[in-house]
Amino acid sequence: MARQRMLLFPEGFLWGTASSSYQCEGGNTNNQWYRWEQQGHIRSGDRCAEAVNWWKRAESDFALAEQMGNNALRLSLEWSRIEPTEGCWDNEVFDRYRTMLTDLRNRHIKPIVTLHHFTEPLWFADLGGFAHEDNLRFFVRYVTHAIQGLKDLCDFWITINEPNVYAVQAYVLGLYPPGEHNLVRALHVLRNLMQAHVEAFYAICDLQPEAQIGYCLDYRLFDPTNALSPLDRSGARLHETFFSWATLQAGETGRFTFPLNMLIAPIAHAAGARDYHGVNYYTREMVHFDPTMPSEMFGRRFKLAGSVYNDPGLDNDYGEIYPPGLYRVLKSVYQRTRGNKPLYITENGFSDAFDDRRPRAILEHLAMVHRAIGDGIPVQGYLHWSLVDNFEWTDGWGVRFGLIEVDPLTQERIARRSAGLFGAICRANAITEAIVECYAPGAMDVVFS
Ligand code: BGC
């Protein structure tokens, strides 16, 4: 009998899912996102409300992660619960997080904890949030408290989720609070978030020298609509540099690339201030040069005929499902950082309510991760976004990223086929022919090419 082909992952590879406090916990009424919703900024009219109720029942979802053979799970702490008013700390909140992290550890699931995932307390937002450098001390003080309270249960920290997305969505596109359209302020916020990471990094190093500490960026690729057109090519390069690579470089060297460095101060003590690179990857966009669109950096975005797409939301278009992009991003992060640190895929996922594209997408993206590892790129873990459907920011309940479906009204969970697939891969630490055959036979050639 012919031997089955398989893509085996390295021993100790971390397999898990990622999520955030606001999107999952429920009952968060003390941060700027709650206020944003009350002000009517969610077009569908959806409310986060009880979310998926993790504040009360996260453990039953952790059990589902355990059944999937996951050995890691990323969640975030809600700063607005921990420090509801400036300088006051809620110990009961720490108790709840301690129970959650203990439960994960009892299930042999490594907790990966994000300290800031888009939300912050109202009092901090009202002081101007990350737009003011002066406010960074509040963030670092909160981080210090959090580490002191939880360091016996967690040694893997993500300081800040996607500074680039936060800056663009909140200060350029106006889709996240405070809803501004101010490029210069966006750049300052981006710089301050990166500075906040550096300061948090050193604070955590002092308290927990053995911890692994990093931040994650969303890496979005931009390709020219016409690869032969120099204008399309430079438009795509400009978008990609601005969105993805400028922040990575600034994180590495402290300096933003020209011309951003004319507008933004350097990041002090940035060099070396991370133990790994957190890579979030979702999509790529096609760009066509258009002189009538200066506000879009002269690039019109295009959909490629024949490509497979995520479900769109009312506010965000989740874009193309483009597996080779994950390989390209991993390689580029590795090369641009001269291979100086391990890489973790801290988010990758698909909005696909009917789960008819996700199984194949998971397989083809993981085949790219395997290829990257085979090329010597030290990728040490993969966290799928997300374990269960959750509140997708401005798109509310309108798009579904979960391996497991949730009805937010009844809180009922129904595992999608993708959960079966992901579980099979995690348990085997491999993609086998039998797994592909069972879940997405159409992916066979791509996976084993
Ligand atoms: C964010 C998540 C979000 C996901 C899907 C990521 O950029 O970190 O909070 O749910 O994308 O849109």
Side-chain angles (χ1 to χ4, degrees), residues 17-29:
T17 56
S19 62
S20 86
S21 54
Y22 193 66
Q23 295 176 273
C24 289
E25 286 177 358
N28 277 309
T29 56

Side-chain angles (χ1 to χ4, degrees), residues 19-20 23 74 117-118 161-162 165 176 216 218 220 280 282 316 318 347 349-351 385-386 390-393 399 401:
S19 62
S20 86
Q23 295 176 273
R74 174 182 169 206
H117 195 125
F118 296 163
N161 180 65
E162 299 181 344
V165 171
Y176 289 9
C216 49
D218 181 35
R220 191 172 275 239
N280 294 0
Y282 285 90
N316 291 288
Y318 294 87
E347 281 181 37
F350 316 97
S351 62
W385 186 277
S386 187
N390 53 51
F391 189 76
E392 180 53 34
W393 308 112
V399 288
F401 276 90

Side-chain angles (χ1 to χ4, degrees), residues 22 97 202 329 403:
Y22 193 66
Y97 284 124
Y202 287 112
V329 163
L403 294 171

Side-chain angles (χ1 to χ4, degrees), residues 70-187:
N70 290 185
N71 56 11
L73 186 141
R74 174 182 169 206
L75 49 73
S76 75
L77 303 182
E78 182 57 43
W79 180 8
S80 66
R81 282 190 196 271
I82 292 181
E83 191 181 3
T85 51
E86 201 252 287
C88 297
W89 310 94
D90 188 333
N91 287 333
E92 279 177 25
V93 167
F94 271 110
D95 291 345
R96 177 69 189 115
Y97 284 124
R98 289 190 64 80
T99 308
M100 282 160 70
L101 300 187
T102 305
D103 184 79
L104 286 172
R105 290 166 61 101
N106 290 342
R107 297 178 193 280
H108 306 287
I109 296 177
K110 184 179 180 64
I112 294 179
V113 175
T114 313
L115 293 152
H116 184 279
H117 195 125
F118 296 163
T119 55
E120 54 230 14
L122 278 172
W123 62 262
F124 179 79
D126 290 341
L127 289 173
F130 288 98
H132 297 308
E133 187 169 6
D134 247 13
N135 291 342
L136 302 194
R137 67 201 153 103
F138 295 118
F139 177 68
V140 177
R141 187 179 62 178
Y142 144 69
V143 168
T144 303
H145 251 79
I147 306 306
Q148 279 163 340
L150 300 171
K151 67 178 179 177
D152 56 324
L153 298 174
C154 174
D155 62 3
F156 196 122
W157 304 99
I158 297 176
T159 54
I160 298 183
N161 180 65
E162 299 181 344
N164 53 343
V165 171
Y166 179 102
V168 169
Q169 296 282 86
Y171 290 89
V172 180
L173 302 177
L175 287 172
Y176 289 9
E180 294 192 15
H181 300 271
N182 183 333
L183 182 62
V184 173
R185 183 128 61 231
L187 293 172

Side-chain angles (χ1 to χ4, degrees), residues 54-328:
W54 273 23
W55 199 246
K56 298 200 179 110
R57 50 157 295 173
E59 289 80 349
S60 55
D61 285 339
F62 296 169
L64 301 175
E66 182 184 11
Q67 281 162 27
M68 278 197 291
N70 290 185
N71 56 11
L73 186 141
R74 174 182 169 206
L75 49 73
S76 75
L77 303 182
E78 182 57 43
W79 180 8
S80 66
R81 282 190 196 271
I82 292 181
E83 191 181 3
T85 51
E86 201 252 287
C88 297
W89 310 94
D90 188 333
N91 287 333
E92 279 177 25
V93 167
F94 271 110
D95 291 345
R96 177 69 189 115
Y97 284 124
R98 289 190 64 80
T99 308
M100 282 160 70
L101 300 187
T102 305
D103 184 79
L104 286 172
R105 290 166 61 101
N106 290 342
R107 297 178 193 280
H108 306 287
I109 296 177
K110 184 179 180 64
I112 294 179
V113 175
T114 313
L115 293 152
H116 184 279
H117 195 125
F118 296 163
T119 55
E120 54 230 14
L122 278 172
W123 62 262
F124 179 79
D126 290 341
L127 289 173
F130 288 98
H132 297 308
E133 187 169 6
D134 247 13
N135 291 342
L136 302 194
R137 67 201 153 103
F138 295 118
F139 177 68
V140 177
R141 187 179 62 178
Y142 144 69
V143 168
T144 303
H145 251 79
I147 306 306
Q148 279 163 340
L150 300 171
K151 67 178 179 177
D152 56 324
L153 298 174
C154 174
D155 62 3
F156 196 122
W157 304 99
I158 297 176
T159 54
I160 298 183
N161 180 65
E162 299 181 344
N164 53 343
V165 171
Y166 179 102
V168 169
Q169 296 282 86
Y171 290 89
V172 180
L173 302 177
L175 287 172
Y176 289 9
E180 294 192 15
H181 300 271
N182 183 333
L183 182 62
V184 173
R185 183 128 61 231
L187 293 172
H188 286 301
V189 168
L190 177 61
R191 181 266 168 195
N192 287 344
L193 285 164
M194 298 298 286
Q195 187 67 58
H197 158 75
V198 171
E199 291 175 23
F201 174 85
Y202 287 112
I204 305 173
C205 286
D206 281 350
L207 294 163
Q208 195 183 14
E210 73 282 10
Q212 280 183 281
I213 313 153
Y215 61 92
C216 49
L217 290 178
D218 181 35
Y219 294 98
R220 191 172 275 239
L221 294 175
F222 293 86
D223 280 338
T225 306
N226 174 2
L228 298 177
S229 151
L231 286 174
D232 283 10
R233 282 209 308 270
S234 52
R237 207 168 32 241
L238 188 66
H239 274 75
E240 204 171 286
T241 303
F242 177 75
F243 191 82
S244 300
W245 308 124
T247 317
L248 176 66
Q249 173 182 317
E252 290 299 289
T253 62
R255 288 182 308 280
F256 284 87
T257 28
F258 179 81
L260 300 179
N261 61 349
M262 309 301 284
L263 293 164
I264 333 180
I267 305 162
H269 313 295
R274 73 209 56 80
D275 295 312
Y276 62 85
H277 299 289
V279 174
N280 294 0
Y281 169 73
Y282 285 90
T283 192
R284 73 142 170 199
E285 295 190 58
M286 306 304 293
V287 177
H288 176 51
F289 178 77
D290 185 337
T292 66
M293 299 185 76
S295 63
E296 296 279 320
M297 295 191 293
F298 303 105
R300 185 182 288 282
R301 318 287 176 76
F302 267 89
K303 286 207 163 172
L304 266 189
S307 278
V308 180
Y309 283 84
N310 285 286
D311 293 344
L314 286 176
D315 272 327
N316 291 288
D317 176 7
Y318 294 87
E320 185 186 1
I321 296 178
Y322 177 62
L326 182 51
Y327 175 82
R328 283 169 56 188

